[in-house]
Amino acid sequence: MTEAVDFKPESPAREAWRMFRRNIPALAGVVVLTIIVAATLWGTFFYDGNPYRIVWAPHEAPGMTPDFPLGTDYLGRDIFAGLIAGGGPTLAVGAAAAAITMVIGVSLGALAGFYGGWIDNLLMRITEFFQVLPTLLFAMVLVTLFSPTLTTIALAIGIVSWPQTARLTRAEVMKIKELEYVTAARAIGARNRRIIWTVILPNAAPPLIVSATLTIGVAILFEAGLSFLGLGDPNTMSWGLMIGTNRAYILEAWWPVTFPGLAIFLTVFSVSLIGDGLNDAFNPKLRER
Amino acid sequence: MSASFLFRRLVYGLILMLGVVVLNFLLIRLAPGDPAMVIAGEMGGGDQALLDAIRTQYGLDRPLLTQLGIYLGNVLRGDLGQSYFFNQPVATLIGNRIGPTILLVLSAQVLSILLGVFLGVIAARKPNGALSGFVSVVATVGYAVPVFWTGIMLIILFASVFPIFPVEGMQSVRLRGAGFWVKAVDIAHHLVLPAFTLALIYLAQYARLSRASMLEVLGSDYIRTARAKGASERAVLFKHALRNASLPILTVAGLQFGNLISGALLVETVFNWPGMGRLAFESILRRDYPTILGVLFFASAMVVVANLLTDLSYRLADPRLRGKT
Amino acid sequence: MSALLEIQNLRVTFNTRHGPVTALDSVSLQVNAGETLGVVGESGCGKSITALSVMGLIPSPPGRIAGGAIRLAGEDLTRVSEARMRALRGAEMAMIFQEPMTSLNPVFTVGDQIAEAIMLHQKVGHAQAFRDAVALLDRVGIPSPERRARDYPHQLSGGMRQRVMIAMAVSCRPKVLIADEPTTALDVTVQAQIFDLLNEIQRDFGAAIILITHDMGAISEMADRVAVMYAGRVIEQASADDVLDHPQHPYTRGLISCIPALGKGDTELREIPGVVPPLHMLGAGCAFAERCAHRFDRCDTEKPSLVDHGHHPAACHAVEEGRI
Ligand SMILES: Nc1ncnc2c1ncn2[C@@H]1O[C@H](COP(=O)(O)OP(=O)(O)OP(=O)(O)O)[C@@H](O)[C@H]1O
Ligand code: SF4
Ligand SMILES: [Mg+2]
């Protein structure tokens, strides 16, 4: 009475993609994020505004003049131009910081999980130490001590955010290490480094990809927070900076802080929708419940 | 709970704090420029006599290890240095500011856990219901909104549209000489918006987490046993299930504490709340490093204490861990 | 006189990925006060679902009682309110589960868990209920009950925990006690002790017991009557002696011939070749057909019903036509 099933093997990546394609919120996230990225990359070709120059009367409300669709700020600078110009640094720092976080976190986590013993012990103590430091405060200290540039900001965010990634990687590696194909790879005499790179990390990839996506979102929020506090690169426009500089006038004009905030929110929101979608795609069983 | 467990956790906490002190020391040394200038900050930077005094006080011409020894000795005596901008010892400055921060952080923590867990428990009763969907949408939104922006939006709303909560500071100036209860109510009134802003990020996360945790617990055998006894649905949910489901929530609450302090930094700045975060912001604008590092030290100490308390309460909540070391 | 507990034509369905399936199909059982009904059958045949239906604890959704009646002292449990059900559960009927390791709440002391059951149905305070709990622990043979009552489940062995479950179940002197494979998770010496305890409890309290088990040895020692289940149906029902000595249905015959020697050593069911078909693949005919040596054409088209064909009720066309 066994059912004759036409069994077509499908690679996990393909299956994940098939699941992802059907996830409407995640696809919406992809669309919105694409629009935001495109606007920051090529927006200036379609809209030539200078975000730094005073071009109009201060606090012109949105929609009043067609030249400045989102109005002007307390100095009379074009907010829409600021949004387009400010997205680049925010996104770039977010992505770079997420990359740094992943590099540090995955390397340390993989080492700790794979070797165990005193290496694991030492690395986990270091991780715990870093988790004691309140992240934003530590990043603020680093950025002020080493002068704020886009590079130091990205580095600072990476340095304070890696512990969670390290823990996740360690847990995944320890799980995979026990599986049969690792034993098999050992049996044929593969070296440790080779096993880590060719067997363990590819198998740990799904949760790490999800975590990388969510890390980008956190890093963007981080960058926004630092710029809001005036700790961003003072020479570049950014969404957080726009909110920070216009903060004093919120009771006179709501729009100079509202639109950059919405931009940050939409970016992080679509990133996390994508992250959730990837998570569901990699763990179809969880969704069935 | 064994005394030796408590003792070992305490010692470990102290070691972590020692690490923070060493890190502070290293940060000043690693920063570009003359350490004496760094310590003096931008305010005292030009004064040669001050720089010389700092060099002698911190032994900056002596070997690095000696310097570390001097620094550690100072910290152990409760001397975190002098703020040349505020012209006060850092310890005094922070002593005045730590109370409001603890008040804000704890209120936000309690608010987010109580409300979040309540929503999560109710959502778990109908895993595919409307409330469940709402909770997960709100969780994603709450995660994506910059907390300082939420604060600003609330200020706009409550300052101009519904002026029922104060949007700035911790106390009303006109109540300076009032009695204790009047002041307490006044502070609570000022606390509403900042605490709610800070709680908002975590509230939804707790709701999502407790929903998942409750769903898992509700499927377990002992829940069926409780029902078989004739226990009411409320007793099943809030007595039998929640007690077990709260274990992962406790863990996360402990881990979140550091993030909560980071969030408090932004919220204090937005609402002019006179706490450590606001102090950190002010001193960073002035490059007042002794104060910044002092805040880093105290904030880390708060995280260490919070972790210790989490460990202890976890053991109290889970009898399987009691007696283990 | 009608039986204390009477299940009539009970039908339970589940919504699954394969659409709705029928987990129980016209199941009828009776048990009288002071009597023990044994329910046997392979894994997945619906024994636990039958028990949970009586307790009103079918996970719903996806499960649902789709038809039939369950009468406890004349009252149809499929029609009463949830509040009434709660008042009956634990008081008039109680259940002991298969997994003593996970059936007790890990964060409360066992004394408190028993006391809770008492307080739910009797007007006593916590102190009195806790004293009663200690007495019950003593009754079910737990040494130093005063101290044990303050222990948490993880501090007790599996056998001890099952005794706690029994103490909790009998705490309000239920009229019906359902024991769902109460010894499966325990080792052999403890199994015998638990069965002895159930016998004593029955003598003391006069409860009707429904004993669900895989163990034919336990059936021969404990049960007055036996119901054999297969794929959601009762396929044979009679006194324990009749079933053990004169099994009718080919499935029951298989079960009994698989026992090496009754009363000695290992009396767990041996395998009958083949497997129970999944519920969503049940066809129009006899569910046992795939595995049956007596199968003939009628078996594939018509479901046999539980009828007495001379000796005692059995649901089999071959028995009906005198082929075996
Ligand atoms: N939640 C559920 N959803 C779908 N089907 C279910 C569910 N619970 C039980 N079933 C179905 O009901 C049937 C009977 O299950 P039941 O637990 O009563 O078996 P059992 O006879 O007690 O087996 P065992 O000896 O393993 O305890 C099973 O085949 C199962 O497929
Ligand atoms: S009805 Fe047919 S198939 Fe079913 S048990 Fe009887 S003989 Fe076997
Ligand atoms: Mg069962």
Side-chain angles (χ1 to χ4, degrees), chain C residues 14-16 21-24 41-50 52 59 61-63 98 180-181 212 214 229 277-279:
Chain C
F14 280 96
N15 280 321
T16 68
V21 298
T22 305
L24 293 185
E42 263 164 316
S43 195
C45 67
K47 307 182 296 292
S48 298
I49 296 298
T50 309
L52 291 174
Q98 183 172 349
D180 187 358
E181 306 190 34
I212 296 173
H214 283 169
M229 293 187 68
L279 294 175

PDB file of all heavy atoms in Angstrom, chain C residues 14-16 21-24 41-50 52 59 61-63 98 180-181 212 214 229 277-279, ligand 1:
ATOM      1  N   PHE C  14     -10.848  14.164  12.488  1.00  0.00           N
ATOM      2  CA  PHE C  14      -9.761  15.145  12.568  1.00  0.00           C
ATOM      3  C   PHE C  14      -9.604  15.818  11.219  1.00  0.00           C
ATOM      4  O   PHE C  14      -9.684  15.151  10.183  1.00  0.00           O
ATOM      5  CB  PHE C  14      -8.433  14.460  12.915  1.00  0.00           C
ATOM      6  CG  PHE C  14      -8.278  14.166  14.374  1.00  0.00           C
ATOM      7  CD1 PHE C  14      -8.589  12.916  14.877  1.00  0.00           C
ATOM      8  CD2 PHE C  14      -7.824  15.144  15.233  1.00  0.00           C
ATOM      9  CE1 PHE C  14      -8.448  12.638  16.227  1.00  0.00           C
ATOM     10  CE2 PHE C  14      -7.669  14.879  16.582  1.00  0.00           C
ATOM     11  CZ  PHE C  14      -7.985  13.625  17.081  1.00  0.00           C
ATOM     12  N   ASN C  15      -9.369  17.113  11.256  1.00  0.00           N
ATOM     13  CA  ASN C  15      -8.980  17.788  10.017  1.00  0.00           C
ATOM     14  C   ASN C  15      -7.480  17.656   9.858  1.00  0.00           C
ATOM     15  O   ASN C  15      -6.720  18.078  10.725  1.00  0.00           O
ATOM     16  CB  ASN C  15      -9.357  19.264  10.066  1.00  0.00           C
ATOM     17  CG  ASN C  15     -10.823  19.456   9.767  1.00  0.00           C
ATOM     18  OD1 ASN C  15     -11.371  18.775   8.899  1.00  0.00           O
ATOM     19  ND2 ASN C  15     -11.450  20.348  10.501  1.00  0.00           N
ATOM     20  N   THR C  16      -7.048  17.065   8.781  1.00  0.00           N
ATOM     21  CA  THR C  16      -5.614  16.901   8.569  1.00  0.00           C
ATOM     22  C   THR C  16      -5.237  17.452   7.199  1.00  0.00           C
ATOM     23  O   THR C  16      -6.082  17.944   6.462  1.00  0.00           O
ATOM     24  CB  THR C  16      -5.206  15.415   8.605  1.00  0.00           C
ATOM     25  OG1 THR C  16      -5.760  14.780   7.448  1.00  0.00           O
ATOM     26  CG2 THR C  16      -5.713  14.741   9.856  1.00  0.00           C
ATOM     27  N   VAL C  21     -10.322  13.134   8.402  1.00  0.00           N
ATOM     28  CA  VAL C  21     -10.223  11.683   8.538  1.00  0.00           C
ATOM     29  C   VAL C  21     -11.070  11.253   9.727  1.00  0.00           C
ATOM     30  O   VAL C  21     -11.292  12.032  10.650  1.00  0.00           O
ATOM     31  CB  VAL C  21      -8.770  11.220   8.754  1.00  0.00           C
ATOM     32  CG1 VAL C  21      -7.908  11.584   7.568  1.00  0.00           C
ATOM     33  CG2 VAL C  21      -8.194  11.793  10.029  1.00  0.00           C
ATOM     34  N   THR C  22     -11.524  10.022   9.695  1.00  0.00           N
ATOM     35  CA  THR C  22     -12.326   9.498  10.791  1.00  0.00           C
ATOM     36  C   THR C  22     -11.441   8.660  11.692  1.00  0.00           C
ATOM     37  O   THR C  22     -10.998   7.587  11.310  1.00  0.00           O
ATOM     38  CB  THR C  22     -13.476   8.633  10.233  1.00  0.00           C
ATOM     39  OG1 THR C  22     -14.202   9.430   9.298  1.00  0.00           O
ATOM     40  CG2 THR C  22     -14.397   8.180  11.335  1.00  0.00           C
ATOM     41  N   ALA C  23     -11.151   9.176  12.876  1.00  0.00           N
ATOM     42  CA  ALA C  23     -10.253   8.474  13.791  1.00  0.00           C
ATOM     43  C   ALA C  23     -11.007   7.418  14.588  1.00  0.00           C
ATOM     44  O   ALA C  23     -10.462   6.376  14.924  1.00  0.00           O
ATOM     45  CB  ALA C  23      -9.576   9.452  14.741  1.00  0.00           C
ATOM     46  N   LEU C  24     -12.281   7.694  14.887  1.00  0.00           N
ATOM     47  CA  LEU C  24     -13.119   6.695  15.554  1.00  0.00           C
ATOM     48  C   LEU C  24     -14.396   6.551  14.743  1.00  0.00           C
ATOM     49  O   LEU C  24     -15.003   7.553  14.342  1.00  0.00           O
ATOM     50  CB  LEU C  24     -13.491   7.132  16.974  1.00  0.00           C
ATOM     51  CG  LEU C  24     -12.384   7.233  18.017  1.00  0.00           C
ATOM     52  CD1 LEU C  24     -13.001   7.574  19.378  1.00  0.00           C
ATOM     53  CD2 LEU C  24     -11.597   5.938  18.115  1.00  0.00           C
ATOM     54  N   GLY C  41      -5.127  -3.010  21.252  1.00  0.00           N
ATOM     55  CA  GLY C  41      -5.004  -2.731  19.827  1.00  0.00           C
ATOM     56  C   GLY C  41      -3.667  -2.079  19.546  1.00  0.00           C
ATOM     57  O   GLY C  41      -3.021  -1.534  20.442  1.00  0.00           O
ATOM     58  N   GLU C  42      -3.292  -2.176  18.270  1.00  0.00           N
ATOM     59  CA  GLU C  42      -1.993  -1.647  17.892  1.00  0.00           C
ATOM     60  C   GLU C  42      -1.945  -0.131  18.016  1.00  0.00           C
ATOM     61  O   GLU C  42      -2.974   0.545  18.065  1.00  0.00           O
ATOM     62  CB  GLU C  42      -1.683  -2.024  16.439  1.00  0.00           C
ATOM     63  CG  GLU C  42      -0.826  -3.254  16.304  1.00  0.00           C
ATOM     64  CD  GLU C  42      -0.872  -3.786  14.891  1.00  0.00           C
ATOM     65  OE1 GLU C  42      -1.967  -3.847  14.304  1.00  0.00           O
ATOM     66  OE2 GLU C  42       0.199  -4.111  14.366  1.00  0.00           O
ATOM     67  N   SER C  43      -0.720   0.387  17.967  1.00  0.00           N
ATOM     68  CA  SER C  43      -0.517   1.825  18.047  1.00  0.00           C
ATOM     69  C   SER C  43      -1.300   2.535  16.942  1.00  0.00           C
ATOM     70  O   SER C  43      -1.332   2.088  15.804  1.00  0.00           O
ATOM     71  CB  SER C  43       0.971   2.112  17.883  1.00  0.00           C
ATOM     72  OG  SER C  43       1.242   3.416  18.277  1.00  0.00           O
ATOM     73  N   GLY C  44      -1.987   3.617  17.310  1.00  0.00           N
ATOM     74  CA  GLY C  44      -2.695   4.420  16.320  1.00  0.00           C
ATOM     75  C   GLY C  44      -4.105   3.947  16.033  1.00  0.00           C
ATOM     76  O   GLY C  44      -4.765   4.478  15.152  1.00  0.00           O
ATOM     77  N   CYS C  45      -4.611   2.936  16.767  1.00  0.00           N
ATOM     78  CA  CYS C  45      -5.931   2.416  16.428  1.00  0.00           C
ATOM     79  C   CYS C  45      -7.048   3.224  17.092  1.00  0.00           C
ATOM     80  O   CYS C  45      -8.212   2.966  16.847  1.00  0.00           O
ATOM     81  CB  CYS C  45      -6.037   0.945  16.815  1.00  0.00           C
ATOM     82  SG  CYS C  45      -6.000   0.696  18.576  1.00  0.00           S
ATOM     83  N   GLY C  46      -6.701   4.200  17.948  1.00  0.00           N
ATOM     84  CA  GLY C  46      -7.745   5.077  18.473  1.00  0.00           C
ATOM     85  C   GLY C  46      -8.053   4.893  19.942  1.00  0.00           C
ATOM     86  O   GLY C  46      -9.040   5.435  20.438  1.00  0.00           O
ATOM     87  N   LYS C  47      -7.192   4.177  20.660  1.00  0.00           N
ATOM     88  CA  LYS C  47      -7.468   3.939  22.081  1.00  0.00           C
ATOM     89  C   LYS C  47      -7.440   5.241  22.876  1.00  0.00           C
ATOM     90  O   LYS C  47      -8.360   5.535  23.639  1.00  0.00           O
ATOM     91  CB  LYS C  47      -6.434   2.949  22.656  1.00  0.00           C
ATOM     92  CG  LYS C  47      -6.327   1.652  21.851  1.00  0.00           C
ATOM     93  CD  LYS C  47      -5.343   0.686  22.473  1.00  0.00           C
ATOM     94  CE  LYS C  47      -3.898   1.167  22.497  1.00  0.00           C
ATOM     95  NZ  LYS C  47      -3.250   1.266  21.197  1.00  0.00           N
ATOM     96  N   SER C  48      -6.366   6.009  22.665  1.00  0.00           N
ATOM     97  CA  SER C  48      -6.256   7.248  23.438  1.00  0.00           C
ATOM     98  C   SER C  48      -7.336   8.235  23.042  1.00  0.00           C
ATOM     99  O   SER C  48      -7.875   8.955  23.899  1.00  0.00           O
ATOM    100  CB  SER C  48      -4.888   7.892  23.217  1.00  0.00           C
ATOM    101  OG  SER C  48      -3.879   7.041  23.669  1.00  0.00           O
ATOM    102  N   ILE C  49      -7.678   8.266  21.756  1.00  0.00           N
ATOM    103  CA  ILE C  49      -8.711   9.200  21.310  1.00  0.00           C
ATOM    104  C   ILE C  49     -10.042   8.842  21.969  1.00  0.00           C
ATOM    105  O   ILE C  49     -10.800   9.719  22.377  1.00  0.00           O
ATOM    106  CB  ILE C  49      -8.830   9.172  19.768  1.00  0.00           C
ATOM    107  CG1 ILE C  49      -7.528   9.672  19.127  1.00  0.00           C
ATOM    108  CG2 ILE C  49     -10.007  10.001  19.297  1.00  0.00           C
ATOM    109  CD1 ILE C  49      -7.189  11.098  19.473  1.00  0.00           C
ATOM    110  N   THR C  50     -10.311   7.536  22.120  1.00  0.00           N
ATOM    111  CA  THR C  50     -11.528   7.129  22.819  1.00  0.00           C
ATOM    112  C   THR C  50     -11.524   7.660  24.246  1.00  0.00           C
ATOM    113  O   THR C  50     -12.505   8.267  24.712  1.00  0.00           O
ATOM    114  CB  THR C  50     -11.628   5.586  22.851  1.00  0.00           C
ATOM    115  OG1 THR C  50     -11.443   5.094  21.534  1.00  0.00           O
ATOM    116  CG2 THR C  50     -12.964   5.136  23.383  1.00  0.00           C
ATOM    117  N   LEU C  52      -9.771  10.145  25.523  1.00  0.00           N
ATOM    118  CA  LEU C  52      -9.832  11.604  25.574  1.00  0.00           C
ATOM    119  C   LEU C  52     -11.233  12.114  25.236  1.00  0.00           C
ATOM    120  O   LEU C  52     -11.660  13.156  25.740  1.00  0.00           O
ATOM    121  CB  LEU C  52      -8.794  12.217  24.624  1.00  0.00           C
ATOM    122  CG  LEU C  52      -7.329  12.020  25.063  1.00  0.00           C
ATOM    123  CD1 LEU C  52      -6.368  12.516  23.991  1.00  0.00           C
ATOM    124  CD2 LEU C  52      -7.050  12.743  26.375  1.00  0.00           C
ATOM    125  N   PRO C  59      -8.116  17.289  21.310  1.00  0.00           N
ATOM    126  CA  PRO C  59      -7.589  18.582  20.858  1.00  0.00           C
ATOM    127  C   PRO C  59      -8.461  19.139  19.736  1.00  0.00           C
ATOM    128  O   PRO C  59      -8.604  18.502  18.693  1.00  0.00           O
ATOM    129  CB  PRO C  59      -6.174  18.252  20.378  1.00  0.00           C
ATOM    130  CG  PRO C  59      -6.155  16.782  20.162  1.00  0.00           C
ATOM    131  CD  PRO C  59      -7.179  16.200  21.080  1.00  0.00           C
ATOM    132  N   PRO C  61      -9.581  22.785  17.611  1.00  0.00           N
ATOM    133  CA  PRO C  61      -9.295  21.972  16.447  1.00  0.00           C
ATOM    134  C   PRO C  61      -7.960  21.245  16.592  1.00  0.00           C
ATOM    135  O   PRO C  61      -7.209  21.634  17.466  1.00  0.00           O
ATOM    136  CB  PRO C  61      -9.226  23.031  15.338  1.00  0.00           C
ATOM    137  CG  PRO C  61      -8.844  24.299  16.035  1.00  0.00           C
ATOM    138  CD  PRO C  61      -9.428  24.214  17.389  1.00  0.00           C
ATOM    139  N   PRO C  62      -7.696  20.228  15.811  1.00  0.00           N
ATOM    140  CA  PRO C  62      -8.357  19.728  14.610  1.00  0.00           C
ATOM    141  C   PRO C  62      -9.431  18.680  14.875  1.00  0.00           C
ATOM    142  O   PRO C  62     -10.149  18.308  13.959  1.00  0.00           O
ATOM    143  CB  PRO C  62      -7.197  19.079  13.847  1.00  0.00           C
ATOM    144  CG  PRO C  62      -6.295  18.568  14.924  1.00  0.00           C
ATOM    145  CD  PRO C  62      -6.413  19.538  16.050  1.00  0.00           C
ATOM    146  N   GLY C  63      -9.569  18.204  16.129  1.00  0.00           N
ATOM    147  CA  GLY C  63     -10.473  17.084  16.360  1.00  0.00           C
ATOM    148  C   GLY C  63     -11.902  17.530  16.655  1.00  0.00           C
ATOM    149  O   GLY C  63     -12.152  18.686  16.997  1.00  0.00           O
ATOM    150  N   GLN C  98       0.018   7.984  29.843  1.00  0.00           N
ATOM    151  CA  GLN C  98       1.085   7.059  29.499  1.00  0.00           C
ATOM    152  C   GLN C  98       2.454   7.549  29.966  1.00  0.00           C
ATOM    153  O   GLN C  98       3.307   6.761  30.327  1.00  0.00           O
ATOM    154  CB  GLN C  98       1.071   6.909  27.974  1.00  0.00           C
ATOM    155  CG  GLN C  98       2.063   5.928  27.408  1.00  0.00           C
ATOM    156  CD  GLN C  98       1.806   5.743  25.923  1.00  0.00           C
ATOM    157  OE1 GLN C  98       0.800   6.170  25.389  1.00  0.00           O
ATOM    158  NE2 GLN C  98       2.739   5.107  25.242  1.00  0.00           N
ATOM    159  N   ASP C 180      -4.480   5.086  30.661  1.00  0.00           N
ATOM    160  CA  ASP C 180      -4.028   4.927  29.273  1.00  0.00           C
ATOM    161  C   ASP C 180      -2.576   4.454  29.262  1.00  0.00           C
ATOM    162  O   ASP C 180      -1.661   5.235  29.473  1.00  0.00           O
ATOM    163  CB  ASP C 180      -4.163   6.274  28.545  1.00  0.00           C
ATOM    164  CG  ASP C 180      -3.877   6.144  27.054  1.00  0.00           C
ATOM    165  OD1 ASP C 180      -3.539   5.021  26.615  1.00  0.00           O
ATOM    166  OD2 ASP C 180      -3.985   7.152  26.344  1.00  0.00           O
ATOM    167  N   GLU C 181      -2.394   3.176  29.040  1.00  0.00           N
ATOM    168  CA  GLU C 181      -1.066   2.567  29.059  1.00  0.00           C
ATOM    169  C   GLU C 181      -0.246   3.072  30.244  1.00  0.00           C
ATOM    170  O   GLU C 181       0.825   3.645  30.071  1.00  0.00           O
ATOM    171  CB  GLU C 181      -0.330   2.874  27.744  1.00  0.00           C
ATOM    172  CG  GLU C 181      -1.171   2.455  26.544  1.00  0.00           C
ATOM    173  CD  GLU C 181      -0.386   2.524  25.248  1.00  0.00           C
ATOM    174  OE1 GLU C 181       0.825   2.260  25.300  1.00  0.00           O
ATOM    175  OE2 GLU C 181      -0.991   2.830  24.208  1.00  0.00           O
ATOM    176  N   ILE C 212      -6.274   0.808  29.174  1.00  0.00           N
ATOM    177  CA  ILE C 212      -5.792   0.752  27.799  1.00  0.00           C
ATOM    178  C   ILE C 212      -4.380   0.186  27.830  1.00  0.00           C
ATOM    179  O   ILE C 212      -3.544   0.639  28.614  1.00  0.00           O
ATOM    180  CB  ILE C 212      -5.784   2.167  27.188  1.00  0.00           C
ATOM    181  CG1 ILE C 212      -7.212   2.692  27.111  1.00  0.00           C
ATOM    182  CG2 ILE C 212      -5.105   2.166  25.841  1.00  0.00           C
ATOM    183  CD1 ILE C 212      -7.302   4.127  26.691  1.00  0.00           C
ATOM    184  N   HIS C 214      -1.145  -2.447  25.706  1.00  0.00           N
ATOM    185  CA  HIS C 214      -0.647  -3.333  24.654  1.00  0.00           C
ATOM    186  C   HIS C 214      -0.383  -4.720  25.204  1.00  0.00           C
ATOM    187  O   HIS C 214      -0.033  -5.630  24.472  1.00  0.00           O
ATOM    188  CB  HIS C 214       0.696  -2.804  24.126  1.00  0.00           C
ATOM    189  CG  HIS C 214       0.561  -1.650  23.214  1.00  0.00           C
ATOM    190  ND1 HIS C 214       1.637  -0.910  22.815  1.00  0.00           N
ATOM    191  CD2 HIS C 214      -0.501  -1.109  22.606  1.00  0.00           C
ATOM    192  CE1 HIS C 214       1.230   0.049  22.007  1.00  0.00           C
ATOM    193  NE2 HIS C 214      -0.068  -0.051  21.872  1.00  0.00           N
ATOM    194  N   MET C 229      -9.538  -3.079  19.446  1.00  0.00           N
ATOM    195  CA  MET C 229      -9.766  -2.023  18.455  1.00  0.00           C
ATOM    196  C   MET C 229      -8.806  -2.174  17.292  1.00  0.00           C
ATOM    197  O   MET C 229      -7.685  -2.659  17.433  1.00  0.00           O
ATOM    198  CB  MET C 229      -9.595  -0.631  19.094  1.00  0.00           C
ATOM    199  CG  MET C 229     -10.677  -0.316  20.116  1.00  0.00           C
ATOM    200  SD  MET C 229     -10.599   1.374  20.709  1.00  0.00           S
ATOM    201  CE  MET C 229     -11.060   2.288  19.252  1.00  0.00           C
ATOM    202  N   PRO C 277      -3.250   0.618   8.087  1.00  0.00           N
ATOM    203  CA  PRO C 277      -3.285   1.651   7.047  1.00  0.00           C
ATOM    204  C   PRO C 277      -3.543   3.015   7.676  1.00  0.00           C
ATOM    205  O   PRO C 277      -4.274   3.116   8.650  1.00  0.00           O
ATOM    206  CB  PRO C 277      -4.454   1.221   6.153  1.00  0.00           C
ATOM    207  CG  PRO C 277      -5.279   0.315   6.983  1.00  0.00           C
ATOM    208  CD  PRO C 277      -4.343  -0.341   7.942  1.00  0.00           C
ATOM    209  N   PRO C 278      -2.907   4.064   7.120  1.00  0.00           N
ATOM    210  CA  PRO C 278      -3.187   5.407   7.626  1.00  0.00           C
ATOM    211  C   PRO C 278      -4.666   5.744   7.435  1.00  0.00           C
ATOM    212  O   PRO C 278      -5.312   5.264   6.488  1.00  0.00           O
ATOM    213  CB  PRO C 278      -2.315   6.328   6.790  1.00  0.00           C
ATOM    214  CG  PRO C 278      -1.591   5.495   5.815  1.00  0.00           C
ATOM    215  CD  PRO C 278      -1.956   4.062   6.018  1.00  0.00           C
ATOM    216  N   LEU C 279      -5.197   6.575   8.353  1.00  0.00           N
ATOM    217  CA  LEU C 279      -6.645   6.819   8.370  1.00  0.00           C
ATOM    218  C   LEU C 279      -7.182   7.359   7.048  1.00  0.00           C
ATOM    219  O   LEU C 279      -8.290   7.042   6.645  1.00  0.00           O
ATOM    220  CB  LEU C 279      -6.983   7.792   9.504  1.00  0.00           C
ATOM    221  CG  LEU C 279      -6.745   7.254  10.920  1.00  0.00           C
ATOM    222  CD1 LEU C 279      -6.990   8.334  11.939  1.00  0.00           C
ATOM    223  CD2 LEU C 279      -7.631   6.043  11.171  1.00  0.00           C
TER     224      LEU C 279
HETATM  225  N1  LIG D   1      -4.190  15.807  16.656  1.00  0.00           N
HETATM  226  C1  LIG D   1      -4.433  14.868  15.711  1.00  0.00           C
HETATM  227  N2  LIG D   1      -4.537  15.228  14.412  1.00  0.00           N
HETATM  228  C2  LIG D   1      -4.784  14.309  13.469  1.00  0.00           C
HETATM  229  N3  LIG D   1      -4.929  13.008  13.715  1.00  0.00           N
HETATM  230  C3  LIG D   1      -4.832  12.585  14.994  1.00  0.00           C
HETATM  231  C4  LIG D   1      -4.565  13.496  16.054  1.00  0.00           C
HETATM  232  N4  LIG D   1      -4.505  12.804  17.193  1.00  0.00           N
HETATM  233  C5  LIG D   1      -4.719  11.525  16.857  1.00  0.00           C
HETATM  234  N5  LIG D   1      -4.918  11.378  15.545  1.00  0.00           N
HETATM  235  C6  LIG D   1      -5.190  10.164  14.813  1.00  0.00           C
HETATM  236  O1  LIG D   1      -6.002   9.354  15.572  1.00  0.00           O
HETATM  237  C7  LIG D   1      -5.559   8.013  15.509  1.00  0.00           C
HETATM  238  C8  LIG D   1      -5.681   7.371  16.838  1.00  0.00           C
HETATM  239  O2  LIG D   1      -4.739   7.908  17.734  1.00  0.00           O
HETATM  240  P1  LIG D   1      -4.604   7.389  19.234  1.00  0.00           P
HETATM  241  O3  LIG D   1      -3.677   8.330  19.919  1.00  0.00           O
HETATM  242  O4  LIG D   1      -5.942   7.215  19.819  1.00  0.00           O
HETATM  243  O5  LIG D   1      -3.902   5.978  19.074  1.00  0.00           O
HETATM  244  P2  LIG D   1      -3.596   4.909  20.208  1.00  0.00           P
HETATM  245  O6  LIG D   1      -4.425   3.736  19.908  1.00  0.00           O
HETATM  246  O7  LIG D   1      -3.737   5.521  21.539  1.00  0.00           O
HETATM  247  O8  LIG D   1      -2.085   4.569  19.911  1.00  0.00           O
HETATM  248  P3  LIG D   1      -0.886   4.331  20.933  1.00  0.00           P
HETATM  249  O9  LIG D   1      -0.918   2.908  21.289  1.00  0.00           O
HETATM  250  O10 LIG D   1       0.305   4.670  20.109  1.00  0.00           O
HETATM  251  O11 LIG D   1      -1.087   5.267  22.070  1.00  0.00           O
HETATM  252  C9  LIG D   1      -4.143   8.028  15.019  1.00  0.00           C
HETATM  253  O12 LIG D   1      -4.029   7.197  13.901  1.00  0.00           O
HETATM  254  C10 LIG D   1      -3.890   9.437  14.591  1.00  0.00           C
HETATM  255  O13 LIG D   1      -3.576   9.469  13.222  1.00  0.00           O
END
